[in-house]
Amino acid sequence: MESKVKKNSNLKYYILYFVIVILIIVAGYFILNSVLKEDVSAGVESSNLEVNTVSFEDIESVKAEKFEVPDHISATVPIFMYHFILEDYGDYPDTENFLKPETLEEQLKYISENGYDTIYIDELDELYKYDKPVALTFDDCFVYFYNNAFPLLKKYNQKATIFIITDYINGENYLTEDQLKEIADSGLVKIESHTKTHEYLDEMTYEEQLEQAVESKERLESITGQEVSVYCYPSGRYNQTTLDIIKDYYDFGLEMLGGVYDSDVDTDFYKIPRIYANRSMSLSTFISYLEQSRVYY
Ligand SMILES: [Zn+2]
């Protein structure tokens, strides 16, 4: 009888212990869980805080670290030369200079879907920033650039450099000052000089050439508020006088032809070669040039 009572009271203790142990485990689980949650949310908050407080200088220093300027790199860059983007060229001569808008769209689509980096001409001395650089340049332009090419560059978010004949500005079928300002402000297009009058530089006197180089640069800079540092020789014609003059005003000079730019071969920044993107260029030909884009150390 006595042992039964003892047994019963022992059993009660066992049950009590068991319940206490369960309670401790459950309480422990909840406490641990809530501590872990706090840690995670604190982590998120602190990382948010970090993002919010990253300064411009921090980003610049990270960039500088990522793009540490190497002693020497080699690069090949296809630089395409376009003129007019227009479906129907009407009575114009030089029909190969007119590229259909859908052809340009096809090319831009390919560039953006295949990881190429469109660069400005004035980035040719900073190629270490890119993996697959390609440059799109438009000569003469007229209003067709604003109507047909500019919307496509914006649609595919691709950069281009355009060359403007400054005496033509505000003239018939040419770009207006307001359009040039809008184009420059887009951040996708650099506006550079194609002289004042688009005449043969190699037939001009020193003074005439100086005027072409200096006044076109000043006019464009006053319209866009941005530096003009690239000179594009009309019809690809220039002479030693041209080169002597522009080295004081420009960083780059562009030829009309010559194939893919190769930094090891084309070491003179005033004789940059280009590829003529004409109306009958097929997409596969365009791609075969693109595929030569390379930056190596
Ligand atoms: Zn031209």
Side-chain angles (χ1 to χ4, degrees):
M1 182 75 189
E2 202 189 341
S3 75
K4 204 178 175 187
V5 169
K6 208 177 177 183
K7 246 187 184 172
N8 267 346
S9 96
N10 277 348
L11 189 65
K12 271 184 198 163
Y13 283 124
Y14 287 138
I15 289 171
L16 193 63
Y17 288 143
F18 182 71
V19 169
I20 287 170
V21 166
I22 291 291
L23 278 175
I24 287 170
I25 288 171
V26 170
Y29 170 79
F30 280 110
I31 289 166
L32 197 66
N33 207 21
S34 76
V35 166
L36 279 177
K37 264 187 192 164
E38 265 173 35
D39 269 3
V40 169
S41 64
V44 170
E45 270 165 31
S46 70
S47 77
N48 275 347
L49 200 66
E50 260 174 45
V51 168
N52 290 338
T53 55
V54 166
S55 68
F56 182 67
E57 285 75 18
D58 290 339
I59 292 168
E60 283 299 296
S61 74
V62 168
K63 256 168 72 183
E65 213 170 276
K66 189 183 170 195
F67 297 125
E68 200 175 320
V69 182
D71 292 337
H72 177 77
I73 61 155
S74 296
T76 44
V77 186
I79 303 173
F80 292 98
M81 175 188 67
Y82 299 88
H83 280 84
F84 317 112
I85 306 303
L86 194 64
E87 179 71 36
D88 180 9
Y89 46 77
D91 297 331
Y92 282 112
D94 300 329
T95 55
E96 281 297 322
N97 278 349
F98 292 83
L99 206 81
K100 292 181 179 177
E102 62 258 39
T103 306
L104 179 66
E105 174 148 24
E106 231 175 27
Q107 296 173 349
L108 289 170
K109 194 163 183 282
Y110 190 89
I111 283 172
S112 58
E113 286 176 356
N114 290 278
Y116 287 96
D117 310 303
T118 44
I119 65 161
Y120 299 124
I121 294 300
D122 68 6
E123 293 180 294
L124 280 177
D125 55 357
E126 302 173 329
L127 291 173
Y128 55 88
K129 292 180 178 176
Y130 299 100
D131 296 319
K132 291 161 77 179
V134 51
L136 310 177
T137 66
F138 294 78
D139 289 14
D140 309 346
C141 295
F142 285 79
V143 74
Y144 317 126
F145 178 82
Y146 183 80
N147 292 339
N148 303 327
F150 187 41
L152 291 175
L153 291 170
K154 286 192 285 190
K155 179 176 175 185
Y156 291 95
N157 196 35
Q158 297 300 333
K159 300 196 286 193
T161 303
I162 68 173
F163 296 100
I164 298 301
I165 307 158
T166 55
D167 276 6
Y168 289 14
I169 296 170
N170 295 329
E172 193 186 350
N173 276 339
Y174 211 75
L175 293 151
T176 65
E177 287 192 359
D178 287 345
Q179 287 168 338
L180 286 171
K181 177 80 177 124
E182 183 189 333
I183 289 166
D185 287 348
S186 72
L188 283 178
V189 180
K190 279 270 173 81
I191 295 180
E192 307 284 2
S193 172
H194 200 22
T195 73
K196 282 182 69 185
T197 60
H198 203 267
E199 291 165 309
Y200 297 151
L201 291 170
D202 59 346
E203 292 183 354
M204 292 181 195
T205 64
Y206 177 90
E207 286 71 26
E208 286 167 342
Q209 283 215 50
L210 185 67
E211 186 184 314
Q212 293 279 340
V214 176
E215 291 188 12
S216 61
K217 176 182 166 82
E218 287 173 353
R219 174 95 190 267
L220 292 173
E221 287 179 346
S222 77
I223 293 170
T224 65
Q226 295 175 16
E227 194 197 356
V228 168
S229 62
V230 187
Y231 202 48
C232 178
Y233 316 121
S235 309
R237 291 178 60 160
Y238 61 95
N239 57 17
Q240 189 56 46
T241 308
T242 321
L243 301 175
D244 292 343
I245 290 171
I246 66 166
K247 69 178 188 321
D248 292 332
Y249 300 93
Y250 295 88
D251 299 325
F252 302 91
L254 259 61
E255 298 186 334
M256 283 192 72
L257 301 169
V260 175
Y261 167 79
D262 182 335
S263 66
D264 288 338
V265 177
D266 306 300
T267 50
D268 188 341
F269 274 154
Y270 296 96
K271 295 178 182 176
I272 303 290
R274 291 188 290 171
I275 302 153
Y276 182 20
N278 59 345
R279 190 175 182 94
S280 42
M281 181 184 272
S282 66
L283 184 63
S284 60
T285 301
F286 181 80
I287 293 169
S288 71
Y289 282 119
L290 273 186
E291 287 175 343
Q292 296 179 53
S293 168
R294 234 168 234 97
V295 177
Y296 43 99
Y297 297 86

